[in-house]
């Protein structure tokens, strides 16, 4: 990997191929639309999808064919605004929502813009990501931060937006029981959002003891480490240990692991809701008989939609969700590759790369 110099205009962290990254000086992006703003990116979190592209060069049908700037969990400071911008000014601190929909298709017009087939999403081929000095977004995809939210915290709004969308899909309401499979950043944030929505029992499930210990200190009311037994047996134990009666009101999978999905379907009560938030293999065996005979509400969840980022910011600003505790490391921009290695090794919860 080659390094950049301090005289660069728009230093960017670029993926060229599997395990091939470099720093590249790119032109400062121009404002193409009067509603666009230019942002000096200050912090960027590393997501599992970024690491997956670095490791494999593709995710499903999304294949890296040309050099691509990585990163999509970012915050920054407004440097320039287009002539029609009314909601932001130079110097404002913002959380950056990194996907721009077409705004014209049926999903966009019905309020489900996360399902737009023309979505230009940062660090999803062929679109460049946010691990650069400068990035351009429309003003309505930048969220001005209240004074009590730092730029570091704002970089966690992207995974928090994912968790907000999952928990909204689940329809979590006060007094309900929720089981969350996967205690990575999104799973932990699902626990926190479920708690903010009033859930009375929140059980985090993972195969890593350290993550379960963190989950219980963070937002879960209980934890469960699965044994190497049939899924139904683990599900029965989760139900019995936590007094869930016929099962949990809501089960969320934030792992994508087949064993978790099987266990989750068996852990939810008849008439309950199961939400798939984690991405794993494109196809798995599925306990369809249990889903059918229990009349489960089975839902998918993809990224975030209308109102999710705004709610994420409100939850942090009001103190109902703490994202500061998730940030376990901040590295310099020039150490970005090392940060990817740390995340791949499973070290820490959320690592941020500082901007320049």
């Amino acid at each position: 990997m080659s390094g950049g110099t301090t005289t660069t205009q728009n230093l960017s962290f670029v993926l060229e191929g599997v395990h091939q990254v470099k720093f590249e000086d790119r032109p400062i992006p121009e404002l193409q639309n009067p509603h666009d703003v230019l942002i000096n990116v200050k912090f960027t979190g590393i997501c599992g999808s970024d690491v997956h592209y670095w490791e494999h060069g593709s995710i499903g049908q999304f294949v890296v064919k040309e050099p691509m700037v990585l990163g999509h969990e970012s915050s920054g400071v407004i440097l320039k605004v287009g002539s029609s911008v009314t909601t932001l000014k130079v110097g404002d601190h913002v959380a950056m929502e990194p996907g721009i929909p077409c705004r014209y298709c049926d999903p966009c017009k019905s309020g489900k813009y996360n399902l737009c087939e023309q979505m230009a999403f940062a660090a999803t081929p062929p679109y460049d990501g946010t691990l650069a000095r400068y990035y351009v977004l429309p003003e309505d995809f930048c969220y001005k931060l209240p004074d009590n939210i730092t730029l570091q915290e704002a970089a966690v709004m992207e995974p928090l937006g994912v968790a907000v969308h999952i928990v909204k899909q689940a329809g979590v309401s006060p007094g309900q029981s929720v089981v969350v499979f996967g205690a990575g950043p999104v799973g932990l944030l699902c626990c926190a959002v479920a708690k903010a929505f009033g859930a009375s029992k929140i059980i985090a499930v993972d195969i890593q003891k350290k993550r379960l210990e963190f989950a219980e200190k963070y937002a879960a009311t209980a934890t469960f480490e699965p044994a190497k037994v049939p899924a139904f047996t683990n599900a029965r134990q989760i139900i019995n240990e936590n007094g869930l009666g016929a099962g949990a009101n809501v089960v969320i999978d934030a792992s994508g692991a087949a064993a978790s999905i099987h266990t989750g379907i068996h852990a939810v009560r008849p008439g309950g809701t199961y939400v798939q938030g984690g991405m794993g293999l494109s196809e798995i065996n599925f306990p369809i008989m249990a889903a059918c005979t229990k009349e489960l509400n089975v839902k998918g969840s993809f990224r975030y939609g209308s109102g999710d980022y705004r709610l994420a910011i409100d939850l942090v600003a009001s103190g109902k969700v703490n994202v500061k505790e998730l940030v376990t490391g901040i590295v310099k921009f020039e150490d970005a590759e090392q940060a990817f290695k740390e995340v791949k090794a499973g070290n820490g919860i959320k690592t941020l790369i500082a901007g320049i």
Side-chain angles (χ1 to χ4, degrees), residues 21 89 97 122 133 141 179 214 250-251 261 324:
V21 288
K89 64 183 187 301
E97 183 175 346
R133 180 177 285 167
F141 284 83
V179 179
F214 185 93
V250 170
V251 167
I261 294 165
K324 198 176 291 184

Side-chain angles (χ1 to χ4, degrees), residues 59-113:
I59 296 178
Q61 77 267 33
F62 298 107
V63 180
V64 179
K65 296 176 181 176
E66 301 288 335
M68 178 183 79
V69 179
L70 290 164
H72 62 273
E73 301 180 359
S74 292
S75 63
V77 179
I78 302 295
L79 281 187
K80 186 178 180 182
V81 299
S83 59
S84 298
V85 172
T86 59
T87 60
L88 297 168
K89 64 183 187 301
V90 172
D92 282 347
H93 290 195
V94 295
M96 299 159 56
E97 183 175 346
I100 306 168
C102 78
R103 305 180 188 264
Y104 301 110
C105 65
D106 286 343
C108 282
K109 291 169 78 172
S110 67
K112 294 183 179 292
Y113 66 78

Side-chain angles (χ1 to χ4, degrees), residues 35-48:
H35 288 283
D36 283 349
V37 296
L38 179 67
I39 307 150
N40 177 205
V41 181
K42 289 299 185 185
F43 291 96
T44 300
I46 301 176
C47 173

Side-chain angles (χ1 to χ4, degrees), residues 1 16 37 42 69 114 123 137 139 144 167 170 195 206 209 213 274 281 298 304 308 327:
M1 185 178 73
E16 292 191 298
V37 296
K42 289 299 185 185
V69 179
N114 56 314
L137 277 174
E139 65 172 314
K144 185 177 176 180
V167 177
K195 185 177 181 181
D206 204 289
K209 278 190 171 70
E213 288 168 5
Y274 174 92
L281 298 173
V298 179
Y304 26 75
D308 294 336
V327 178

Side-chain angles (χ1 to χ4, degrees), residues 169-171 176-177 246-252 264-265 267-275 290-299:
Q169 285 287 88
Q176 286 193 323
S177 55
N249 296 111
V250 170
V251 167
I252 291 166
I265 291 292
V268 67
R269 68 178 54 188
T273 298
Y274 174 92
V275 178
C292 181
T293 57
K294 292 202 284 186
E295 278 202 357
L296 300 185
N297 301 299
V298 179
K299 298 183 179 181

Side-chain angles (χ1 to χ4, degrees), residues 43-63:
F43 291 96
T44 300
I46 301 176
C47 173
S49 67
D50 293 315
V51 175
H52 201 279
Y53 281 123
W54 175 65
E55 278 274 296
H56 304 284
S58 64
I59 296 178
Q61 77 267 33
F62 298 107
V63 180

